[in-house]
Amino acid sequence: GGLIEIQSYAPSEESQTQVTGLYGYLGTWSVSASNRWKAGPVGWSLAARQYETDGYLRNNWDRNFNFNGNVTFELPWQMEAGVGLLFSQGTTGMPVYNRKGSPYYNSGKPDANQEELGGPGVSARMKNGVYAWGDGSDIKDTSSFVNAYLMKNFEGGHIRLRGMLWNEETTEKYYDAANSGKKIYERDTTPEDNNWQLLGDVVYTLGSHTLEVGGETRTYGWGDQSVPYIDRSYFTGAISYFKFVSDGFEGQPTCLHYSALYAQDTWKALSMLDIEFGLRGEYFKADEIDPAAFGFPATAKATDLSETNLDPRLAVRFRPWQGGELGLRLGITHRYPN
């Protein structure tokens, strides 16, 4: 989603503010500012950054703004809570075809092929091939990520519950290669539509053992797509078949589901030796996709997918000298759905 890394830090007892700036060639500049402070039971960590560059390739400029804010609250009975927001909005120019022999060649820019940053399927349906679009064509991406937590601390450990919600919206605009003022196509998409995740964990230290149990569940998919404008004279006859390009689609926001439970023990066997071992059970389910959800007729039998796995892990950490550590970790992990 065009997110530039922003690191947030725990609030400090004294207010700390930092402002940085950067300037480089190709019209590149960046300004960032951050502040963190803990005033009584309330603390916060705020950071923002604006980044711009004209880019190296033709029409491959970038304008990006990011904001990250976290607020924490100390509550009675050794409890604490927090809420955070991560927001990113960026617009990037799509590289256009720029090679000798092209009627729209710009010798002041490097030779390059065109590249469709959005998708899918616009360039493959256009009549003019590599000359399908020109300067001014871009994609705008807006992403937001909200998280909150509630934690109860006690002697030897804590109980914590966390929740996360994320959304993403994109807008693609294509302009004529011969006339950058003439729009030929526009498309709005919701790749992430109220996707959410819930996590919980309990940590307790008992003698030389630190015991952890927890789990998570999340549901995600993709939202709808609309086409506010299309000039069909720029597209081949196949556009009437690929409705997702010409008309958009409904989407299927809750088509993927994931849940997991885990247990782990970190055993301080010796002053110089830690041993970790744990087990994680996972369940993944992908629902059958409605052909109408993606805007073109199904050519294969629609189906769903369900998979359950049990993943062990083992870690050994040895500290033969102060400040140094030797480690070995073994484990099995799965990345769904593949």
Side-chain angles (χ1 to χ4, degrees), residues 225-245:
Q225 182 170 279
S226 61
V227 182
Y229 182 81
I230 180 172
D231 187 334
R232 292 177 177 268
S233 65
Y234 283 82
F235 289 82
T236 67
I239 196 69
S240 61
Y241 179 79
F242 294 98
K243 295 291 186 181
F244 71 94
V245 176

Side-chain angles (χ1 to χ4, degrees), residues 93-253:
M94 300 190 196
V96 301
Y97 186 80
N98 195 57
R99 293 190 177 276
K100 293 178 181 178
S102 164
Y104 318 116
Y105 181 62
N106 182 345
S107 59
K109 290 288 186 178
D111 288 359
N113 293 334
Q114 82 287 359
E115 184 173 353
E116 177 186 359
L117 301 183
V122 173
S123 58
R125 322 297 174 211
M126 287 186 167
K127 290 180 179 178
N128 295 330
V130 296
Y131 307 141
W133 64 82
D135 296 330
S137 303
D138 63 34
I139 181 169
K140 180 180 180 180
D141 182 281
T142 302
S143 298
S144 63
F145 181 91
V146 180
N147 66 87
Y149 79 93
L150 179 65
M151 183 163 65
K152 162 68 174 175
N153 295 295
F154 54 86
E155 187 176 354
H158 70 256
I159 300 175
R160 180 175 53 181
L161 183 65
R162 293 176 288 163
M164 307 176 193
L165 176 72
W166 61 97
N167 285 275
E168 181 185 8
E169 298 178 358
T170 64
T171 296
E172 303 161 70
K173 293 181 181 178
Y174 296 81
Y175 292 88
D176 187 2
N179 180 6
S180 61
K182 177 175 174 51
K183 183 168 63 176
I184 59 179
Y185 185 76
E186 181 177 347
R187 177 165 62 180
D188 298 324
T189 312
T190 310
E192 308 279 1
D193 187 17
N194 287 324
N195 291 344
W196 61 270
Q197 182 179 30
L198 189 65
L199 306 97
D201 66 287
V202 180
V203 178
Y204 181 65
T205 299
L206 182 63
S208 60
H209 295 267
T210 298
L211 307 174
E212 301 176 52
V213 294
E216 65 174 287
T217 183
R218 61 179 181 259
T219 295
Y220 49 104
W222 66 86
D224 61 0
Q225 182 170 279
S226 61
V227 182
Y229 182 81
I230 180 172
D231 187 334
R232 292 177 177 268
S233 65
Y234 283 82
F235 289 82
T236 67
I239 196 69
S240 61
Y241 179 79
F242 294 98
K243 295 291 186 181
F244 71 94
V245 176
S246 61
D247 302 334
F249 53 77
E250 299 174 2
Q252 194 160 324

